[in-house]
DNA sequence: GCGTGATACTTGACACGACAATGAATTACG
DNA sequence: CGTAATTCATTGTCGTGTCAAGTATCACGC
């Protein structure tokens, strides 16, 4: 597989003037491409990336969670969660339970069907992980994660 | 600003079993967050990220381009471009011109208004670039770009 | 010329994400 | 108490992304 620097990949005539710009574009482009790949995998199982994320978060937590807590762990804004849960509920992958102590909060719970689907996806997801970045060494992966974590520390607060 | 490894940031109970998974999640999360930030900036100018991307590509090319060529440089599927161009045309930021030699292809062209808007955005965009990852050293930025480029080389063909 | 297939877009149906505004339940406080 | 502020969730609107299907044009073979 030939080397394909971003500059050539997007057919940019001029070299990047600023390393910040180049890094940002690389992050955005890589994120988009990987997102697309996972989206296609999940679609084979009748799920979108967002839906899978909700299910994965719920399984990781191991207990029913309020909508807001789920929204916090995804990048997304709160209102998006409602529709997301709606569609998952239609597919009978989650159930809503209004809390008795604070009747404003709605707890979301995985159904056994969802646990089964998640289990079916574990193998393919890990396979895709390896397909996408299995050619990087353990040291490179660690360095990449480290740099991205450091990059996110520059995010201004207010979101 | 406190260090915030991904494991803690998403409140994951268990450490990551696979460095591949950790790296992928870091890429996706960082990409999403940065995408959100830029989306908010562009919205102040009445644009979405996709719309800005189309305009930036057209300016970079410096000449009218067929729809398909634009679609190629974005991650997106062809049908999405039509609607995107429709809305840009409504805002009088691009113009459509059907080619005379091959009447199937439609050339998209920047309007002077678009050039002005792009110029207005150059400063803020570069400021945001620096805000987001200005705290990384030049060496780190270079290393990050290098690793992401290498990561994308693992993308299977067919898209 | 005249099919036949390929190419370049367009359209329509549906799901999603971001935002603003609203409703409903709870808490704070004078 | 009782009103105000806050919190949790939902709804509606817009732009977008995806797929499937359709239209217009071109290129080729006969």
């Amino acid at each position: 597989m030939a080397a394909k620097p971003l500059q050539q990949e997007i057919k940019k005539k001029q070299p990047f003037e600023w390393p910040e710009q180049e890094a940002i574009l690389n992050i955005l482009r890589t994120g988009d491409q990987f997102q697309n790949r996972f989206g296609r995998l999940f679609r084979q199982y009748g799920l979108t990336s967002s839906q899978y994320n909700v299910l994965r978060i719920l399984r990781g937590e191991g207990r029913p969670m309020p909508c807001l807590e789920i929204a916090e762990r995804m990048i997304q804004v709160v209102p998006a969660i409602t529709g997301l849960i709606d569609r998952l509920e239609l597919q009978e992958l989650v159930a809503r339970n209004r809390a008795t102590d604070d009747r404003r909060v709605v707890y979301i719970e995985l159904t056994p069907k969802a646990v089964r689907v998640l289990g079916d996806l574990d193998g393919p997801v890990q396979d895709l992980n390896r397909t996408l970045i299995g050619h990087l060494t353990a040291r490179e992966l660690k360095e990449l994660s480290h740099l991205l974590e450091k990059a996110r520390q520059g995010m201004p607060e207010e979101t």
Side-chain angles (χ1 to χ4, degrees), chain A:
Chain A
M1 196 168 306
K4 238 193 294 186
L6 183 57
Q7 181 187 340
Q8 172 189 347
E9 190 173 342
I10 62 178
K11 303 194 176 65
K12 200 168 190 305
K13 269 30 176 192
Q14 308 292 328
F16 289 101
E17 304 96 276
W18 300 293
E20 289 94 344
Q21 186 185 5
E22 179 173 14
I24 293 262
L25 283 177
N26 269 309
I27 291 170
L28 294 178
R29 188 168 179 86
T30 311
D32 267 8
Q33 288 191 1
F34 286 10
Q35 181 89 28
N36 278 358
R37 296 293 297 171
F38 278 99
R40 257 179 279 165
L41 170 61
F42 297 143
R43 203 174 309 121
Q44 295 172 13
Y45 292 75
L47 293 174
T48 65
S49 290
S50 299
Q51 291 174 349
Y52 174 79
N53 260 320
V54 171
L55 301 183
R56 187 177 52 77
I57 288 171
L58 282 167
R59 182 175 65 173
E61 186 67 12
R63 60 169 178 87
M65 294 172 66
C67 282
L68 272 195
E69 269 186 54
I70 297 175
E72 254 173 43
R73 304 211 196 168
M74 314 197 32
I75 315 289
Q76 306 169 354
V77 161
V78 179
I81 298 292
T82 300
L84 209 47
I85 301 294
D86 284 347
R87 279 168 231 115
L88 285 171
E89 206 176 12
L90 273 181
Q91 295 188 52
E92 298 178 355
L93 293 169
V94 302
R96 275 184 166 97
N97 290 104
R98 201 163 276 273
T100 53
D101 54 336
D102 184 342
R103 294 185 41 71
R104 288 171 306 181
V105 334
V106 173
Y107 278 91
I108 313 299
E109 186 177 14
L110 282 185
T111 64
K113 179 179 172 187
V115 175
R116 221 177 314 126
V117 173
L118 279 171
D120 290 347
L121 266 163
D122 283 339
V125 165
Q126 183 57 15
D127 288 348
L128 186 49
N129 280 339
R130 278 200 241 274
T131 300
L132 290 180
I133 53 171
H135 58 298
L136 271 67
T137 67
R139 219 195 145 291
E140 287 173 327
L141 290 174
K142 197 178 157 190
E143 175 72 1
L144 181 54
S145 286
H146 169 72
L147 287 172
L148 288 170
E149 274 161 16
K150 181 164 181 188
R152 281 202 307 282
Q153 290 172 24
M155 291 286 294
E157 300 302 326
E158 44 91 40
T159 289

